[in-house]
Amino acid sequence: MTDVSLDAAAKKTLLRKIPHGLFICGVAEAEEVNGFTASWVTQGSFEPPLVVMAVRADSTSNGMIRRTGRFSLNVLRADQKDLAAVFFKPQAAVGGRFDAAPFRLGPLGLPILEDGLGGVECELVGTVDHGDHTVFVGEVKSATLLREGDALELAGTGWQYGG
Ligand SMILES: Cc1cc2nc3c(=O)[nH]c(=O)nc-3n(C[C@H](O)[C@H](O)[C@H](O)COP(=O)(O)O)c2cc1C
């Protein structure tokens, strides 16, 4: 690799300019469901439809995605900032996070939040292990649109995740 010195402050400022949404990623393994707030999400291909998501290497959900090979992505309404906050705090899923968010299981058995704009279910087709997050690539297999509306975005929440 090329040996250049990285300007850490410039790197942080520039990477924080990348616009992000805020999503609830859902996972399910045997009888256990979990969900967490994810902002590092983007589309990766039209055909087949792919999404790309980076997941903390040491999180509970990371292992569940690896073992099951699937995950859902729920798009939140613009006024659901409080729900996004529930899903990034460390606590149990059922009897904790999901008490604030009723859900159904989609065709692939993954949580789709009833109160959001909708969600897609994905099968894992690629994994990059390099760094403190794992980059997962998922092929979109199901899409449930529950309502129309604006989606929650990271900008304007006052939160930072990036840099
Ligand atoms: C604004 C914000 C954005 C976040 N985005 C991500 C993300 O893209 N990927 C990720 O792995 N964690 C992200 N997190 C952290 C997770 O939501 C958090 O670590 C969660 O507790 C993980 O849950 P789990 O350990 O039950 O899987 C974000 C947190 C905040 C506050």
Side-chain angles (χ1 to χ4, degrees):
M1 286 204 193
T2 316
D3 190 19
V4 294
S5 71
L6 176 64
D7 180 336
K11 180 266 302 174
K12 184 173 181 176
T13 300
L14 290 167
L15 293 186
R16 285 189 171 184
K17 304 280 186 206
I18 300 173
H20 288 106
L22 272 175
F23 309 89
I24 305 297
C25 173
V27 292
E29 184 174 26
E31 298 304 301
E32 196 182 341
V33 294
N34 196 26
F36 68 98
T37 301
S39 55
W40 289 357
V41 173
T42 190
Q43 183 161 357
S45 162
F46 283 122
E47 191 52 51
L50 300 180
V51 291
V52 179
M53 172 177 64
V55 180
R56 261 181 44 204
D58 62 354
S59 73
T60 308
S61 304
N62 188 304
M64 292 174 75
I65 293 170
R66 279 171 199 280
R67 289 188 295 273
T68 61
R70 52 184 62 181
F71 60 88
S72 65
L73 276 172
N74 289 274
V75 181
L76 295 178
R77 300 191 324 253
D79 62 356
Q80 287 182 303
K81 179 183 173 184
D82 290 351
L83 192 56
V86 168
F87 276 84
F88 64 62
K89 291 182 184 135
Q91 61 173 328
V94 175
R97 291 174 179 175
F98 281 113
D99 283 1
F103 66 94
R104 69 177 79 167
L105 294 179
L108 267 63
L110 296 159
I112 303 292
L113 301 186
E114 298 283 5
D115 296 338
L117 295 182
V120 295
E121 293 176 297
C122 305
E123 273 179 7
L124 190 64
V125 295
T127 301
V128 178
D129 279 305
H130 187 80
D132 53 18
H133 282 58
T134 306
V135 179
F136 290 121
V137 180
E139 182 171 338
V140 176
K141 293 293 185 180
S142 87
T144 305
L145 181 63
L146 296 171
R147 52 185 64 79
E148 294 285 352
D150 292 333
L152 182 63
E153 295 175 2
L154 184 60
T157 62
W159 301 331
Q160 289 282 359
Y161 198 81

